[in-house]
Amino acid sequence: MNLSVKLGSLTLQNPVMVASGTFGYGVEYAQLLDLNQFGAVVVKGIRLGPVRGNPTPRTAEVASGMLNAIGLQGPGVDGFIKKYWPFLSTLKVPTIINIWGTTVEEYAEVARRFDALGGVGALELNVSCPNIKEGGAQFGTDAKLLAGVVRACRKATKLPLITKLSPNVTSIAPYAQAAEAEGSDALAITNSYPAMAIDTETRRPKLANVTGGLTGPCIKPIAIKLVWEAAKAVKIPIIGMGGIQSAADAVEFLMAGATAVAVGTANFYEPQTVPQVIAGLREFMARHNIADVRELVGSVKVAK
Amino acid sequence: MLERTVQIVSNERDTDQYFRLVMRAPELAMAAQPGQFVHLRVMAMKDALLRRPFSIYQARGENLSVLYKTVGKGTDVLARMGPGEELSLIGPLGHGFTVPKAGGETPLLVAGGYGMAAMYMLAERSPQKGVVFVGGRRRVDILCEDEFRKLGWDVRVTTEDGSYGEKGIVTQPLIAELRRGAAGRKLFACGPTAMLKAVAKIAEEFKVPAELSMDEHMCCGVGVCLTCVIPVKTADGWEYQRTCTEGPVFDSREVLWEVPK
């Protein structure tokens, strides 16, 4: 049975990875999980310098999901390399580094720094975080700006590039095509949905940032549709994500057109989700006589 | 840190809205340290997905227990569960209290409401007996007083409505005690943030060390999501640190109560 898939020049032993921001820098879960079983480990978004992040409360539980507005708290490139790379570089599976900046130049500089580091599996361009004032989704919701970021990063590195697209657009196809045209090797679809919740007793927003990003099983059908639409528009592989908590969820993304999948919010409440999804995917393939996971990609039967 | 599916041994009402939950969790019970917590998932909650953190109350033999108050969706569902039903636990988690050393400082514990739960193991493991100051709004908010007395600790109770113990707030008898003598004493506190802030101020005034168990809204419990952060003083200024990982117990001198401008 073959579970391995390719994202550009990057080969994954299986198509199940984690979503940036839901798995820290890997080391936090190393006591509970064998990370070498994963398709890849994807770390939280990193910009050039350290970031303090937003005031609290930063998350709120909602029906079948949660809101977050962390604000990309992080150690910056140097802090990350010093504190987390010694552990990550010992993994047998690829580490994908999610990067961001407030200018095109910053994205390119961060890409150059990780290119020079050596041993990085791929870079994921975060052009879709809804919780920061500058950078993030501002690049992901303007196709020209998005093209500029991908172009600059493509020049800065030979590492495989994954562009993580925002769901907050009228149609995802032009964004997917812009990233593909500028040399992105793969797409990650999708990030969190802009959303809000209010505590009716206090009349205050549940998040200090007022609005945040909605994630978890409640967004899965919306994400499936985006993956399905993007897959029809581009030839590069797609990493599908949004509310995956079981192998059936993962298979659904593959059928919609994703080549790989990422588990996000489920890591917070069930850290064993990734190994469970991998085991369940094998079981599904055996039950349906599927020899190669790639047979599932885009296999949804839609009447013409 | 371990993740285990555990069975409920008992889950009984203590007073009013408070429950004692005992689970069979031998490995977690063995590893538990005073001031640490467990992150509990109630699978029966369905659309409420996230785990809930609870201070470890007692770790005895193969059993681990927590005290909780029914305050929302998660604890309401939990309160209806019974012996034999399963829960998922991750723990023990967090950086707990420093257990006093024999011949060292005399511990003064300060607890508000179910903050008492986080204090029991500390009192049990401390070779130095001390005083427990416990406060609550009403008599039913005073938990596990007898357990502390059985350990041979002096327990001073305050209630805001005067229905039990001294009328007032928990910091009043604490201040009175420190006025009698502060040297050689150390504070350990767990309770609402306003109480912890008051304890930090008292520690500063009386020049005694204090360890505070901070209660912040939590999500992953293991340090990845960065939900439960509080502003903490560092050599270079300040930074957000995680209550679940660097905490929940912090030195009172490190905690900033407001985010610096």
Side-chain angles (χ1 to χ4, degrees):
Chain A
M1 191 183 284
N2 175 55
L3 261 76
S4 117
V5 296
K6 286 191 87 170
L7 302 173
S9 59
L10 181 69
T11 303
L12 308 182
Q13 62 179 351
N14 68 62
V16 188
M17 54 176 82
V18 292
S20 175
T22 67
F23 211 71
Y25 306 95
V27 66
E28 299 89 339
Y29 277 120
Q31 284 182 57
L32 295 180
L33 292 161
D34 176 9
L35 305 187
N36 285 322
Q37 292 180 12
F38 287 35
V41 170
V42 186
V43 302
K44 186 166 175 68
I46 297 164
R47 68 173 290 187
L48 210 46
V51 181
R52 277 208 173 109
N54 290 330
T56 59
R58 289 175 166 186
T59 65
E61 189 176 58
V62 297
S64 296
M66 61 179 286
L67 301 180
N68 88 78
I70 306 297
L72 290 170
Q73 180 178 337
V77 174
D78 290 329
F80 167 81
I81 292 171
K82 192 169 165 223
K83 199 166 173 198
Y84 300 109
W85 189 244
F87 168 79
L88 288 163
S89 60
T90 64
L91 295 180
K92 295 184 187 100
V93 299
T95 295
I96 296 174
I97 298 182
N98 182 290
I99 66 168
W100 69 285
T102 57
T103 61
V104 172
E105 293 71 29
E106 187 179 357
Y107 274 96
E109 179 58 20
V110 177
R112 268 192 290 276
R113 294 290 308 274
F114 284 118
D115 187 273
L117 181 62
V120 171
L123 297 180
E124 180 174 76
L125 307 179
N126 182 355
V127 286
S128 43
C129 177
N131 300 324
I132 42 175
K133 287 196 186 83
E134 288 176 89
Q138 113 190 41
F139 291 102
T141 52
D142 179 321
K144 268 192 188 156
L145 288 177
L146 172 71
V149 171
V150 180
R151 192 182 310 135
C153 291
R154 182 70 291 164
K155 274 190 198 147
T157 178
K158 289 197 165 60
L159 288 170
L161 284 182
I162 301 162
T163 307
K164 186 163 183 175
L165 296 179
S166 169
N168 201 27
V169 293
T170 313
S171 166
I172 198 148
Y175 296 87
Q177 287 163 342
E180 182 181 45
E182 297 297 342
S184 188
D185 298 285
L187 303 173
I189 299 174
T190 187
N191 208 314
S192 59
Y193 288 79
M196 180 172 172
I198 298 165
D199 181 330
T200 51
E201 294 300 315
T202 63
R203 297 195 188 201
R204 292 183 188 281
K206 287 191 176 178
L207 299 177
N209 194 53
V210 184
T211 63
L214 180 64
T215 63
C218 59
I219 71 165
K220 195 189 74 178
I222 326 179
I224 291 281
K225 174 182 173 278
L226 283 181
V227 167
W228 183 63
E229 287 174 345
K232 288 189 292 184
V234 295
K235 290 195 175 62
I236 53 175
I238 294 167
I239 306 158
M241 65 195 78
I244 295 175
Q245 54 178 355
S246 69
D249 296 335
V251 168
E252 202 175 336
F253 273 96
L254 298 176
M255 288 179 172
T259 296
V261 295
V263 172
T265 301
N267 294 314
F268 294 152
Y269 54 89
E270 186 38 78
Q272 303 299 328
T273 304
V274 170
Q276 285 167 3
V277 168
I278 296 167
L281 182 57
R282 285 182 185 281
E283 188 274 327
F284 179 90
M285 288 168 63
R287 192 154 49 85
H288 291 271
N289 280 319
I290 296 163
D292 190 324
V293 73
R294 291 170 297 184
E295 290 172 39
L296 285 169
V297 177
S299 65
V300 60
K301 293 174 180 169
V302 179
K304 294 265 159 63
Chain B
M1 189 199 308
L2 300 160
E3 180 175 5
R4 292 287 181 271
T5 300
V6 302
Q7 279 195 345
I8 296 177
V9 175
S10 64
N11 183 28
E12 281 162 18
R13 191 181 291 273
D14 197 71
T15 67
D16 194 44
Q17 289 173 283
Y18 298 93
F19 286 74
R20 291 182 184 222
L21 169 66
V22 182
M23 296 158 284
R24 194 182 169 280
E27 297 149 290
L28 276 87
M30 181 117 64
Q33 297 296 321
Q36 288 192 300
F37 66 98
V38 290
H39 215 26
L40 189 152
R41 183 167 183 219
V42 183
M43 284 83 99
M45 280 200 302
K46 299 198 170 70
D47 77 338
L49 300 168
L50 301 176
R51 287 172 185 266
R52 270 62 176 160
F54 297 92
S55 291
I56 298 170
Y57 168 47
Q58 291 177 335
R60 292 208 166 144
E62 301 199 319
N63 291 343
L64 186 138
S65 60
V66 302
L67 286 181
Y68 65 93
K69 185 180 186 182
T70 51
V71 290
K73 216 183 227 176
T75 45
D76 285 345
V77 174
L78 186 58
R80 289 195 292 272
M81 295 180 76
E85 289 190 80
E86 289 186 337
L87 297 165
S88 168
L89 274 190
I90 297 178
L93 295 169
H95 163 87
F97 290 115
T98 313
V99 179
K101 288 191 178 69
E105 289 141 330
T106 303
L108 302 182
L109 314 190
V110 193
Y114 57 87
M116 268 298 249
M119 296 294 184
Y120 184 81
M121 281 183 74
L122 180 64
E124 190 182 39
R125 300 215 178 158
S126 172
Q128 297 269 83
K129 291 193 196 337
V131 186
V132 190
F133 298 88
V134 55
R137 205 166 295 159
R138 307 153 301 160
R139 180 170 192 150
V140 290
D141 297 312
I142 306 302
L143 305 176
C144 52
E145 181 196 345
D146 290 347
E147 274 83 349
F148 281 84
R149 291 201 196 280
K150 276 180 204 152
L151 292 175
W153 284 58
D154 180 3
V155 184
R156 315 255 176 98
V157 178
T158 45
T159 52
E160 285 173 39
D161 67 357
S163 55
Y164 187 52
E166 191 181 322
K167 184 175 161 85
I169 55 172
V170 70
T171 45
Q172 291 165 345
L174 172 68
I175 291 170
E177 181 64 33
L178 288 168
R179 282 203 180 121
R180 281 193 284 275
R185 294 175 150 193
K186 180 171 175 181
L187 311 183
F188 297 86
C190 183
T193 303
M195 184 203 92
L196 296 175
K197 193 174 172 181
V199 170
K201 196 163 163 261
I202 291 164
E204 198 182 339
E205 280 170 20
F206 286 92
K207 298 186 174 60
V208 291
E211 293 188 12
L212 311 176
S213 177
M214 303 296 290
D215 188 11
E216 270 301 315
H217 172 66
M218 220 174 255
C219 172
C220 76
V222 300
V224 302
C225 73
L226 308 178
T227 292
C228 63
V229 297
I230 59 165
V232 171
K233 272 181 223 161
T234 61
D236 318 329
W238 70 278
E239 66 182 16
Y240 279 120
Q241 290 188 1
R242 300 163 294 185
T243 304
C244 70
T245 307
E246 283 81 24
V249 176
F250 291 89
D251 183 316
S252 67
R253 289 163 298 189
E254 291 172 1
V255 177
L256 290 168
W257 300 92
E258 305 282 334
V259 174
K261 291 269 183 283

